[in-house]
Amino acid sequence: MAAAQGASVIVGGTSGLGKQLAATLARRGEEVVVTGRDAARAQAAAKEVGGRTRGLAVDLANPGEIAARLAEVGAVKHLVIAAIERDDNSVRKFDIARAQRLVTLKLVGYPEVVHALAPRFTPEASIVLFGGLAKERPYPGSTTVTTVNGGVNNMVKTLAVELAPVRVNAVHPGIVGDSPAWAGKPPEVLQRVVVRTPLGRLVTMDEVVGSVLFLLDNHGVNGVNLYVDGGWLLT
């Protein structure tokens, strides 16, 4: 029954939040497709996730290849683009190649995935894009990250209008304390964020995944940029 309703495609689903989301959807009995840049890693991640999950190689930084890589995907009821790259690129020491890669990945790769899969969206399909809070609180070296996440913020709005009635939303996590990217950081680095967070702690991977599920499943939510930061932006 779930297969007939379409698959949940997680672009960037081989690690971190994307993989945890894939595992949650697989436990719900859904057909899941996880993608990563490397085919072997994507297939290994799919095996670890279990259930009716398969892995495909898709590199958002090579947008001309995306449609072909996704050609074997059938009907799609959920699309989550969780692929991100962290970039420290100061404008005083600007690395053009790195900037071009990140801009291509998010501002060309994201919409090209949507373009490639659009004919296969089910009538009640939903899309969630991953952004980030550097767009609201820049820091030294965030020139490119801040810019592209601002683009994601507005991409949600135009896609929601163009793809209607398909719903399009985005999640913008704060620092996720138990994620692979942050779990190994020195405690004093994270504590500086904790003391400025009204929640009194950092958000968790489970909470970010829960927010994505809410955006995917609630048919009344559309064109929304959801911050999951424990209130950090308020301080």
Side-chain angles (χ1 to χ4, degrees):
M1 184 68 173
Q5 295 171 348
S8 293
V9 179
I10 317 297
V11 176
T14 60
S15 63
L17 289 164
K19 187 176 180 182
Q20 185 152 325
L21 173 64
T24 301
L25 292 170
R27 286 194 295 270
R28 298 201 316 192
E30 298 190 15
E31 177 189 357
V32 180
V33 178
V34 295
T35 83
R37 291 193 300 270
D38 179 74
R41 185 179 181 190
Q43 291 161 7
K47 185 175 181 180
E48 291 176 22
V49 167
R52 296 184 300 120
T53 305
R54 56 194 171 112
L56 297 176
V58 176
D59 186 354
L60 296 185
N62 292 311
E65 300 178 358
I66 289 174
R69 298 287 187 176
L70 294 172
E72 65 183 79
V73 176
V76 176
K77 68 174 179 178
H78 295 319
L79 170 62
V80 178
I81 309 183
I84 61 172
E85 287 191 8
R86 288 170 174 81
D87 180 58
D88 184 4
N89 197 359
S90 168
V91 74
R92 294 185 183 275
K93 299 179 180 179
F94 198 56
D95 186 319
I96 293 174
R98 284 169 52 194
Q100 286 177 324
R101 177 176 174 83
L102 187 57
V103 169
T104 300
L105 189 150
K106 280 207 167 183
L107 300 188
V108 182
Y110 275 30
E112 174 55 17
V113 169
V114 176
H115 165 252
L117 294 177
R120 287 165 271 177
F121 290 148
T122 62
E124 294 187 342
S126 56
I127 300 169
V128 174
L129 309 178
F130 267 65
L133 294 186
K135 74 184 186 65
E136 300 292 342
R137 188 166 283 174
Y139 52 87
S142 78
T143 295
T144 312
V145 174
T146 295
T147 301
V148 297
N149 285 337
V152 170
N153 183 86
N154 288 309
M155 189 186 301
V156 164
K157 301 171 186 177
T158 185
L159 291 180
V161 172
E162 287 192 23
L163 296 173
V166 172
R167 295 183 300 106
V168 185
N169 298 287
V171 61
H172 299 270
I175 292 178
V176 185
D178 60 345
S179 67
W182 290 101
K185 298 290 184 181
E188 60 271 18
V189 172
L190 300 180
Q191 188 59 29
R192 289 198 291 268
V193 180
V194 170
V195 298
R196 294 186 60 181
T197 303
L199 193 63
R201 60 171 177 81
L202 302 176
V203 297
T204 68
M205 291 181 68
D206 279 344
E207 288 166 341
V208 177
V209 168
S211 72
V212 176
L213 294 174
F214 163 72
L215 294 174
L216 289 175
D217 292 341
N218 191 309
H219 291 194
V221 181
N222 193 22
V224 166
N225 284 280
L226 179 62
Y227 300 159
V228 186
D229 68 343
W232 177 61
L233 286 179
L234 298 174
T235 63

